[in-house]
Amino acid sequence: MLAFPDPTPDLVWLENPKNSVYLEAPDDAENYREVFDHLRACALSPAETRPRIAQIIKELHR
């Protein structure tokens, strides 16, 4: 997501190994914003992330 001050609309930049695509439609930007908001709401906090990564590392080395 690329956010700009008004009146410039926000846009979504999608990158893949061969090229990149810009989505400029307001509906596209809003859809991606909703997805990111959902991911942020589901994500662990930074303080919770470190112990979780350490736990996963221990499990992988068993």
Side-chain angles (χ1 to χ4, degrees):
M1 296 283 316
L2 301 171
F4 302 99
D6 286 335
T8 305
D10 296 347
L11 61 90
V12 177
W13 178 36
L14 303 173
E15 186 176 2
N16 64 56
K18 293 189 176 191
N19 62 18
S20 59
V21 177
Y22 292 93
L23 303 178
E24 300 179 59
D27 287 346
D28 290 332
E30 183 59 28
N31 288 339
Y32 276 86
R33 187 175 293 105
E34 288 175 10
V35 169
F36 284 130
D37 289 345
H38 178 73
L39 289 171
R40 275 192 292 267
C42 292
L44 296 174
S45 71
E48 295 168 316
T49 299
R50 287 183 183 94
R52 179 66 177 126
I53 291 172
Q55 176 188 2
I56 292 169
I57 289 170
K58 285 180 187 176
E59 292 172 2
L60 290 173
H61 289 282
R62 288 184 188 172

